[in-house]
Amino acid sequence: MSKMRYNRRSLLKTGVAAAASTLAAPMVWAQEIKDIKLRQFGTGVSNLNDVATKVKEDLGFTLEMTALDSDSVTQRAATQPDSFDIADIEYWICKKVWPTGNLQAMDASKITNFDKIAGTFRSGKLTPESVIAQGTAPHTVGFVDGPNGTEFATEDSGWMTLIPTIYNADTLGIRPDLINRPINTWAELLNPEFKGKASILDISSIGIMDMAMVCESMGEISYGDKGNMTKEEIDKTFAIFTEAKKNGQFRAFWKSFDESVNLMASGEVVIQSMWSPAITAVKSRGVPCVYQPLKEGYRSWGGGLGLSASLSGMELEAAYEYINWYLSGWVGGYLMRQGYYSAVPETSKNFMSENEWGYWYEGKAATDVITSPTGDQLAVAGDVRDGGSFTDRMGAVACWNSVMDENQYMVRKWNEFIAA
C-alpha cells in the first residue's frame, strides 16, 4: 500500500521535488494511515472485535465497527449514507439499498483474489451442473452495468455491488437431548409436540423463507417461486403460521444472535431458526445443539462488503486494501471456525489446520479436538460436521434469503403476524 501511494505521489512531482518525495513518501504514508478511520456496520455475525484488532495490527488504520440486527442494517444503509464508510450487508439487503445510490460500484480488477471467489457469487453455480436456487441468489444482484451503474447486470460486468466475503447454508437448530428422536424435515417447526418450545426469527425477508420451507414441506403450499411469492401465496403462508401462533406454538420471536443463543441454551426453545455461529455459541457453553440437515434442503444467504458512495481519496484506497486483506485468508479462517464459508476458501485454508479444514470444509471426521475461534471445544476426534462437506451442504440449497416483488405487502403481513 505504501508503494502504491509512493508511485502516485511520484507522478505528481518533478525534478528535485520528485526525488524528495520519493524518499519521504513511505514515511508520510505510514504516518497518514494511522489517522485513517473507516466506519463499518453490519450484523453481529461478522462485525467482530477480533477482526478490527487484526486490521489495526496488519494494516495500521482503525476499523470502527457497529453491530446491528438485519432490519436496522437495511434501514441505515438506505437512509443514513453519511453514517458509514463500509456496509457489511447481505445480498438481499443490497436489492433494497442499491437503488438509493448510497453505495458505489466497485472495480473487480482491484480485487487481488477475484478469480478465486466461489462460483456461487460470480455465475450463480457452485459447479457447472448446479441448479440455481430460488430467491435472491447473490450473483443476480452482485454486478451492475458499469462504474455508475444503476441496474443489476445479468453477468460479470467487472463492477460489483458488494465484494463477497461470507455465506452459509442455514437450517433449523435443535436440542437433541431434549427432543430425543430424529428430526429430518422443516415441517417439525410446527409440530404440536413442540408447542411453546419453538421459535422463528423476526426478520421478515429471512423469516418468510423459513416459513415457506415449512409450508412446502407440510404439503400445504406448492410455491411457483418461494423467493417471489404472489399475494395469494403470502396470505396462505401467514394464515398457517398465524394459526400456529394463536395455538401457542412459539415461545418467542428473536431478532438478534444473542437472543437465539439464550433461548436455545436455556432450554426454553428446543427447535428454531438459527445461524451457524449461534449453534457454535450454544455448544461452547457445553450444551448439546445440532444444526440439523433436513430432507428439503437449506435456506441460504451470502454477505459482502459495500462502499459508501461518498468514500474517496486515501480512505477509498484504504477500503480497497482492507477488502483485499479480508479475502487474503485470516478472516476467512476465523469465520470458518464458526461454521461459515469464506467466499475465497482457497486462501482461508492457509489459516486453518489440516484437522480444521477437513472437519469444517471437507466433511471429514475430526482427528483431534475442534475449537471455536476463542478456544472453546466444539467437537472431539471422530465427530463429523452436521450436514457434511461444503459441496454436500451448499449443493443442497433450496432457496436464498429474498426480497420479492410484493415485498411491501409481505412486510405488512409479517407485522400483522407478529402482532397477532
Side-chain angles (χ1 to χ4, degrees):
M1 193 170 184
S2 60
K3 183 177 180 181
M4 175 177 64
R5 171 60 55 174
Y6 164 105
N7 288 339
R8 290 184 180 184
R9 291 189 172 189
S10 297
L11 291 173
L12 298 176
K13 306 292 183 178
T14 58
V16 176
S21 72
T22 297
L23 294 172
M27 185 185 304
V28 171
W29 174 243
Q31 183 60 44
E32 288 174 339
I33 199 171
K34 291 180 181 178
D35 299 327
I36 289 178
K37 177 188 290 184
L38 295 179
R39 301 162 298 161
Q40 175 177 311
F41 77 101
T43 66
V45 163
S46 49
N47 283 265
L48 306 164
N49 290 333
D50 285 354
V51 174
T53 299
K54 189 67 172 171
V55 167
K56 186 69 173 179
E57 178 183 320
D58 287 359
L59 301 181
F61 56 80
T62 299
L63 186 66
E64 185 180 83
M65 287 186 168
T66 302
L68 305 167
D69 65 67
S70 295
D71 284 339
S72 298
V73 166
T74 306
Q75 183 178 24
R76 183 167 179 175
T79 64
Q80 301 177 49
D82 296 329
S83 70
F84 68 90
D85 302 306
I86 299 171
D88 181 3
I89 62 178
E90 294 173 50
Y91 276 85
W92 65 266
I93 295 176
C94 187
K95 197 169 183 179
K96 290 186 174 185
V97 173
W98 192 262
T100 67
N102 290 346
L103 299 178
Q104 62 177 280
M106 287 181 282
D107 184 353
S109 69
K110 292 185 177 182
I111 306 305
T112 307
N113 286 307
F114 176 78
D115 291 341
K116 296 177 182 176
I117 291 173
T120 301
F121 294 99
R122 294 192 289 159
S123 67
K125 292 195 171 190
L126 183 65
T127 68
E129 298 77 32
S130 296
V131 175
I132 297 174
Q134 296 177 352
T136 306
H139 76 288
T140 63
V141 293
F143 296 92
V144 286
D145 52 3
N148 299 306
T150 57
E151 302 293 330
F152 296 120
T154 56
E155 57 186 6
D156 180 352
S157 64
W159 293 94
M160 305 187 77
T161 56
L162 306 175
I163 302 300
T165 55
I166 185 175
Y167 59 127
N168 207 2
D170 281 359
T171 182
L172 297 176
I174 67 168
R175 281 286 302 271
D177 57 320
L178 300 179
I179 292 179
N180 292 314
R181 67 172 179 82
I183 297 291
N184 64 6
T185 174
W186 281 86
E188 295 278 18
L189 188 68
L190 292 191
N191 190 327
E193 177 185 343
F194 306 125
K195 180 179 178 179
K197 289 186 173 294
S199 179
I200 193 168
L201 73 171
D202 182 11
I203 302 170
S204 60
S205 290
I206 305 175
I208 189 65
M209 303 306 290
D210 282 355
M211 287 180 169
M213 293 296 288
V214 172
C215 291
E216 200 166 62
S217 69
M218 293 170 67
E220 294 289 340
I221 304 175
S222 179
Y223 299 92
D225 180 351
K226 290 186 287 296
N228 198 21
M229 298 180 196
T230 64
K231 286 185 176 180
E232 182 182 8
E233 289 170 338
I234 292 170
D235 288 344
K236 286 182 179 179
T237 303
F238 281 111
I240 290 168
F241 269 76
T242 299
E243 180 182 2
K245 183 186 179 190
K246 289 181 176 179
N247 289 336
Q249 183 70 10
F250 300 108
R251 169 65 182 84
F253 303 92
W254 60 266
K255 270 186 175 287
S256 74
F257 168 91
D258 289 337
E259 288 175 312
S260 71
V261 172
N262 292 334
L263 286 168
M264 192 63 97
S266 67
E268 292 179 64
V269 164
V270 299
I271 184 169
Q272 68 170 354
S273 304
M274 284 192 84
W275 297 337
S276 189
I279 298 286
T280 303
V282 174
K283 292 172 72 172
S284 71
R285 297 185 186 184
V287 177
C289 193
V290 172
Y291 215 26
Q292 186 61 47
L294 303 170
K295 64 183 180 180
E296 299 87 5
Y298 295 89
R299 173 191 53 73
S300 197
W301 61 276
L305 300 175
L307 301 184
S308 168
S310 61
L311 197 62
S312 62
M314 192 182 302
E315 285 74 19
L316 179 59
E317 290 182 13
Y320 270 107
E321 189 76 1
Y322 163 61
I323 290 171
N324 280 321
W325 171 85
Y326 201 111
L327 298 183
S328 68
W330 184 89
V331 183
Y334 187 103
L335 294 172
M336 285 179 71
R337 290 186 192 93
Q338 297 185 67
Y340 292 131
Y341 296 118
S342 165
V344 186
E346 183 179 330
T347 61
S348 304
K349 185 177 182 180
N350 298 328
F351 290 84
M352 303 176 77
S353 69
E354 185 177 346
N355 180 39
E356 289 173 327
W357 180 259
Y359 177 84
W360 289 114
Y361 193 80
E362 297 178 327
K364 294 179 178 178
T367 58
D368 199 352
V369 171
I370 294 291
T371 63
S372 71
T374 54
D376 297 309
Q377 180 174 307
L378 302 178
V380 296
D383 288 349
V384 177
R385 179 178 184 173
D386 306 325
S389 71
F390 167 78
T391 304
D392 290 339
R393 299 175 88 256
M394 291 308 300
V397 170
C399 63
W400 293 88
N401 291 347
S402 186
V403 174
M404 50 192 73
D405 294 343
E406 296 291 350
N407 181 67
Q408 287 185 321
Y409 182 77
M410 185 278 292
V411 172
R412 179 157 59 84
K413 288 297 181 179
W414 180 274
N415 292 334
E416 291 174 4
F417 161 71
I418 294 297

